[in-house]
Amino acid sequence: MKQIAVFASGSGSNAEHLAVTFAKGNRARVAAIYCNNPKAYVIQRAAKLNIPLVLFTRAEFADAESLIRDLQARQIDLIVLAGFLWLVPETLTRAFAGRLVNIHPALLPKFGGKGMYGMAVHKAVLDAGEKESGITIHLIDEVYDRGKTLLQVKCPVLPDDTPESLAERVHQLEYSHFPGAIEKML
Ligand code: GAR
């Protein structure tokens, strides 16, 4: 059984969807959820799902040594960033090279980079008048949203879309494709 660690900063609906999906099989499981935000709703989701929650500060993340020890102690095979806000430090990208994956709610390389998180991404897509958006699942390296692309899936942007309606369409794509993309990596 492969051990997955999910990093999340906010609501954590992807974290929950991954945990529930993998719990149905015997190939992998979400062994822990890591969070940088003590107010994030994902903390309540972790409690409900009975999944260990590791909360860390910016300093602990930047140094990464104690986090890496924790990840190793849990025998984590793959780190999944699902709505995680901070740039991953090189110590961590090196320790988990090729085993660190992110989901981005747009078609990279457009609408990526610093500050491009969650609703800000959908607003930017609408402001730019794009006709389509989608998801990008990619490996993580030291630069925001620039690692090797594993999968992109598109969806239309509709004339009357709001950031919320577009976010909902993109979230549905994430739920449909993220577990399978992770399964492939495992
Ligand atoms: C997801 O749409 C994810 O793609 C996005 O944040 C949302 C988190 O939703 N990630 C980024 O924007 C990363 N740059 P969730 O907390 O409900 O899973």
Side-chain angles (χ1 to χ4, degrees):
M1 167 96 63
K2 299 283 185 186
Q3 311 295 323
I4 299 169
V6 177
F7 279 56
S9 301
S11 164
S13 71
N14 274 286
E16 175 164 354
H17 187 254
L18 291 172
V20 169
T21 304
F22 283 109
K24 289 179 190 154
N26 55 9
R27 225 173 117 48
R29 67 178 187 128
V30 174
I33 293 176
Y34 290 75
C35 180
N36 62 312
N37 174 7
K39 293 188 181 139
Y41 185 63
V42 71
I43 295 171
Q44 288 171 54
R45 293 190 199 263
K48 185 184 78 182
L49 293 160
N50 218 0
I51 294 176
L53 188 276
V54 181
L55 200 57
F56 53 84
T57 63
R58 196 176 270 282
E60 284 165 338
F61 191 60
D63 170 54
E65 291 300 341
S66 65
L67 265 185
I68 290 170
R69 275 198 299 277
D70 189 274
L71 289 158
Q72 287 168 342
R74 294 177 200 276
Q75 300 188 310
I76 297 299
D77 297 292
L78 183 72
I79 298 177
V80 173
L81 308 188
F84 184 68
L85 194 51
W86 290 349
L87 178 66
V88 180
E90 221 175 306
T91 336
L92 191 51
T93 54
R94 256 193 266 114
F96 279 82
R99 298 187 296 144
L100 233 163
V101 64
N102 181 46
I103 190 158
H104 187 78
L107 301 171
L108 292 175
K110 280 179 160 182
F111 308 107
K114 204 166 162 47
M116 281 297 180
Y117 173 78
M119 213 50 86
V121 178
H122 305 301
K123 278 198 189 103
V125 169
L126 291 178
D127 287 348
E130 294 290 316
K131 296 281 175 281
E132 57 185 13
S133 190
I135 59 171
T136 304
I137 297 169
H138 64 97
L139 291 177
I140 284 282
D141 57 26
E142 312 73 56
V143 187
Y144 264 119
D145 301 333
R146 284 296 145 84
K148 179 179 178 242
T149 296
L150 303 174
L151 178 71
Q152 271 192 329
V153 188
K154 293 177 182 174
C155 66
V157 175
L158 303 178
D160 57 351
D161 260 335
T162 60
E164 289 74 20
S165 64
L166 180 56
E168 174 55 27
R169 193 171 309 118
V170 169
H171 260 123
Q172 292 306 325
L173 273 192
E174 297 186 322
Y175 305 149
S176 302
H177 295 278
F178 206 12
I182 291 169
E183 179 103 36
K184 245 188 177 169
M185 286 186 77
L186 294 170

